[in-house]
Amino acid sequence: MGEITGAGLLAHVPTIVLPEETRRELNEGKEITLVTGLRELRRDVFARDDYDTVVVLDSHWATTVEFVVTAQSRRAGLFTSEELPRGMSRMPYDFPGDPELARNIASFADRHGTWITPIDDAYLPIYYATLNLWKYLGEGLPDKRWVTIGVCQTGDMEDHLRLGRALADGIAATPGRRVLVIASGALSHTFWPLRELRDHEASDPSHIFTPEARAADEQRIDWLTGGRHDRVLDTMDEFWTHKPEARFFHYLMMAGALGEQACTAPGRQYGAYENSVGTGQVLLWFDRPAGGWTAPRPSDPAAA
């Protein structure tokens, strides 16, 4: 029986793969802490031998009539971003996939009232919400499998929770798998207009598009570091007014896999909450609690 051993809500902004000199030029001479945080996360979690597969829930990959999970035995090539080719050009990647896991995830679609298709096409595009994190957390670890699932642009909150439930069941049905799940995406996600954008490239959160969006982000960071996934899920209508990236579907899929409102895992923050041209970015990691993802909190009556 497989299990999810860790999960994270992780920023993937283009800035992290720019040369250090360029990053510092954009950030008033300082290194952005998303970079140092990802390096620390690799050391603490991804460099260990207690997992074999990473599943990325990719906020940049939007499907339409179904969820799609990558099922190639290996993915390799060069990536140039259509969004920012100046900063992400001909980036090499090469890593094994996990066709067995992909098929097992898809096999639970009917049980959860959704549609999931495994695709093993070698020409299926890859997106930087997966690749930028692989560069920091997976490159140089050739035995670690990486699988990606996209968001579905016609789906709603319930659809993405259902995907997460199928993901958890597919992992459990794959013998021996020890899986890390990454929700790759931002918090609030409104960019500054082009003519103003270059005045807001520094990472200081004073550059977040509105004070209200910053406050909403910081409240959710506080909830998640306290293990209050229930509060995040119960206030999605409010958070949507601040336009989280991909409607926060990347997080909702992860939450669906971890037990939704019952999930009590506290997050560990790496680096600072930072701006990226108006958007809110953070690195939060959730270790599997000793009692499981839905173990009672110490303050819960059930824990007494």
Side-chain angles (χ1 to χ4, degrees):
M1 180 174 178
E3 65 177 342
I4 299 171
T5 62
L9 173 61
L10 303 183
H12 59 242
V13 291
T15 320
I16 65 176
V17 294
L18 295 176
E20 180 177 352
E21 180 181 2
T22 305
R23 295 196 302 263
R24 290 182 179 273
E25 287 174 358
L26 295 174
N27 196 38
E28 302 170 339
K30 303 184 294 294
E31 178 62 282
I32 64 174
T33 71
L34 296 178
V35 166
T36 56
L38 284 169
R39 289 172 178 162
E40 292 169 1
L41 181 59
R42 178 181 175 119
R43 179 199 65 206
D44 291 353
V45 176
F46 285 77
R48 300 196 315 235
D49 292 328
D50 57 357
Y51 75 98
D52 48 69
T53 303
V54 178
V55 175
V56 181
L57 308 172
D58 188 315
S59 60
H60 277 219
W61 180 16
T63 60
T64 304
V65 301
E66 62 199 345
F67 291 99
V68 175
V69 54
T70 59
Q72 300 92 339
S73 60
R74 182 160 220 96
R75 300 191 80 183
L78 298 174
F79 171 79
T80 295
S81 168
E82 84 290 357
E83 179 184 343
L84 189 61
R86 175 171 53 87
M88 292 177 286
S89 177
R90 297 181 67 81
M91 295 167 58
Y93 62 93
D94 186 352
F95 53 81
D98 194 337
E100 181 185 11
L101 177 61
R103 291 191 295 268
N104 283 344
I105 293 166
S107 74
F108 285 93
D110 287 348
R111 176 178 296 184
H112 293 288
T114 191
W115 297 266
I116 308 170
T117 303
I119 296 292
D120 63 2
D121 188 332
Y123 295 96
L124 186 69
I126 194 168
Y127 294 87
Y128 73 78
T130 292
L131 184 57
N132 286 3
L133 292 178
W134 176 81
K135 281 289 183 181
Y136 276 90
L137 304 175
E139 191 169 33
L141 301 172
D143 296 329
K144 304 301 187 184
R145 309 178 186 98
W146 281 60
V147 171
T148 299
I149 301 174
V151 301
C152 184
Q153 63 182 332
T154 56
D156 59 13
M157 178 172 174
E158 176 62 21
D159 289 309
H160 288 81
L161 291 173
R162 291 183 185 194
L163 182 283
R165 296 165 197 157
L167 170 60
D169 283 348
I171 291 170
T174 309
R177 287 298 187 279
R178 296 177 62 80
V179 178
L180 304 179
V181 175
I182 296 175
S184 179
L187 299 167
S188 64
H189 203 253
T190 302
F191 297 112
W192 287 95
L194 180 60
R195 293 196 302 276
E196 302 175 56
L197 185 147
R198 283 163 178 76
D199 295 327
H200 299 283
E201 291 187 298
S203 64
D204 191 291
S206 62
H207 295 283
I208 299 294
F209 193 69
T210 66
E212 294 79 11
R214 176 179 178 178
D217 287 348
E218 290 177 333
Q219 184 174 55
R220 279 147 189 83
I221 292 169
D222 184 60
W223 285 338
L224 290 170
T225 55
R228 297 309 305 259
H229 299 264
D230 56 337
R231 291 185 177 175
V232 176
L233 293 169
D234 291 343
T235 59
M236 279 307 305
D237 284 344
E238 173 192 323
F239 196 37
W240 282 325
T241 66
H242 303 291
K243 300 180 180 178
E245 184 166 23
R247 292 181 57 78
F248 221 36
F249 288 160
H250 48 294
Y251 169 78
L252 294 176
M253 290 190 286
M254 182 183 78
L258 301 184
E260 301 167 46
Q261 280 88 346
C263 180
T264 56
R268 181 170 67 253
Q269 185 170 347
Y270 284 86
Y273 167 64
E274 293 189 332
N275 163 72
S276 179
V277 292
T279 68
Q281 307 291 334
V282 74
L283 303 171
L284 294 175
W285 189 257
F286 307 92
D287 294 311
R288 183 183 183 277
W293 292 105
T294 58
R297 299 181 186 86
S299 58
D300 287 348

